Amino acid sequence: MKINLISDTVTKPTPQMLEAMMNAKVGDDVFKTDPTVNHLQDKIAALFGMEAALFFPSGTMANQTAIKIHTQPGDKLFCDKWAHVYNFEGGGAAFNSGVTCHLIDGERGMFSAKQLEEAVAGRADIHVPLSSLVAIENTTNKGGGACWDLNEIIKIKQLCTQHHLALHLDGARLFNALVAKGESPKQYGEVFDTISVCLSKGLGAPIGSLLLGTKKHIAQALRIRKLFGGAMRQVGYLAAAGIYALDHHVERLKIDHSRARKIGEALEKCHLIKNVEPIETNIVIFNIVDTISEEDFMALLAKENIHFISMGQGKLRMVTHLDFTEEMLEKVAYIINNL
Ligand SMILES: *Cc1c(COP(=O)(O)O)cnc(C)c1O
């Protein structure tokens, strides 16, 4: 039994999801005639109470499109120093949009309204880039699946309004945050100008992300998605997986969260572990003691067919997901208890 805790992107479609994909009605989405894509876009826009949505092959392309529609070359965007849009999208903000990132030194990938206020308050003469966008990430990836406080986000929105800044949410794992905090998509739809969400992480679809915004944003996004090479044809087969995931795989994220906590409890007790970071959703980040190397620790578990990744600097990461079962959890806990 191979146990893959590398990421929540490793899942394969369930038989029911595959059946939904096989039965999808499709058309050419570049001509906007794929009924399943149209249905997915309308469904998620309604879910968030936002005007429109657009289907993307990846979360990276959805985020990069959002940056492109909110900025002009030479502008600057504010984000946390750990933000995916800055660290893990290949330098896309600079490459695609000619934008500089002003990094904020937050906690676990999250900054406060006060920190943003200080960042925005700098000089504003011709020497400095124009500020146009704030991007936040919920849950935070490098921050170990941490969830933002919605009240802080609302304060950030007020600052954005005051300073004429657009506000984008990288919501690759937003559904994990919603389920963990008992919040609704509409509460987020009200606050953000644009939101990206991934179907291919905890929701278990093989591919796909959506960008949400106003009709005007989405009209611009349609043009930019084409320019980025992301306009697709009979893509309803993939949208059908997303519809299935939204209908069946959101509430169950709670199970992933509780399994992540149980892994955390086992790790806490293990003599090779220095500390485990707080576990709010499906990501477990922990540090090992200095007497064992990352490679050796990972090899100990790989021998038992348990796989996960290193994030560098002694930090290791395990992520729970749809294909990580109760039986696997029991084995992981047993192995860790007996290291
Ligand atoms: C995974 C992820 C994305 C998008 O990734 P893709 O692999 O391009 O779909 C964006 N932001 C965060 C925080 C992520 O974890």
Side-chain angles (χ1 to χ4, degrees), residues 246-316:
L246 287 172
D247 287 340
H248 298 95
H249 292 167
V250 175
E251 276 309 308
R252 67 153 304 285
L253 290 171
K254 286 196 178 109
I255 302 170
D256 296 344
H257 299 173
S258 103
R259 286 180 182 147
R261 278 195 300 275
K262 284 182 188 146
I263 293 178
E265 284 160 19
L267 288 169
E268 292 270 8
K269 283 183 265 165
C270 173
H271 65 105
L272 294 174
I273 306 301
K274 199 188 283 172
N275 69 298
V276 182
E277 293 188 2
I279 298 165
E280 294 181 50
T281 53
N282 66 331
I283 302 179
V284 183
I285 293 182
F286 57 99
N287 292 279
I288 48 174
V289 293
D290 301 329
T291 48
I292 185 166
S293 71
E294 282 182 26
E295 292 72 26
D296 289 347
F297 183 81
M298 291 174 77
L300 273 181
L301 291 177
K303 221 172 55 196
E304 304 292 345
N305 221 353
I306 299 170
H307 305 275
F308 54 99
I309 61 165
S310 158
M311 305 185 81
Q313 297 132 18
K315 269 186 203 284
L316 298 169

Side-chain angles (χ1 to χ4, degrees), residues 9 57-61 63 84-85 89 137-142 170-173 196 198 200-201 208-209:
T9 55
S58 73
T60 298
M61 197 190 283
N63 282 334
H84 195 279
V85 293
E89 298 189 3
E137 185 175 312
N138 198 18
T139 67
T140 63
N141 181 346
K142 211 176 166 192
D170 175 355
R173 294 191 180 81
S196 67
C198 281
S200 57
K201 301 256 161 102
S209 284

Side-chain angles (χ1 to χ4, degrees), residues 56-120:
F56 280 83
S58 73
T60 298
M61 197 190 283
N63 282 334
Q64 290 301 318
T65 297
I67 294 171
K68 187 83 188 150
I69 66 184
H70 293 304
T71 62
Q72 291 298 319
D75 286 359
K76 111 177 130 178
L77 86 79
F78 298 92
C79 63
D80 187 87
K81 65 181 186 297
W82 284 357
H84 195 279
V85 293
Y86 171 70
N87 289 286
F88 303 122
E89 298 189 3
F95 189 93
N96 300 312
S97 300
V99 163
T100 301
C101 293
H102 182 128
L103 302 181
I104 302 177
D105 187 15
E107 272 290 310
R108 304 184 72 215
M110 302 175 290
F111 51 87
S112 64
K114 189 160 178 295
Q115 283 182 297
L116 177 64
E117 191 167 19
E118 284 162 9
V120 170

Side-chain angles (χ1 to χ4, degrees), residues 20 32 34 36 52 101 143 157 159 162 178 192 200 206 210 222 224 238-239 242 256 283 312 314 322 327 336:
K32 301 188 187 176
D34 187 304
T36 309
C101 293
K157 172 64 181 180
L159 276 171
Q162 216 176 309
L178 296 177
F192 287 92
S200 57
L210 289 131
L222 194 63
I224 292 158
L238 302 177
D256 296 344
I283 302 179
L322 191 59
E327 189 191 357
I336 294 172

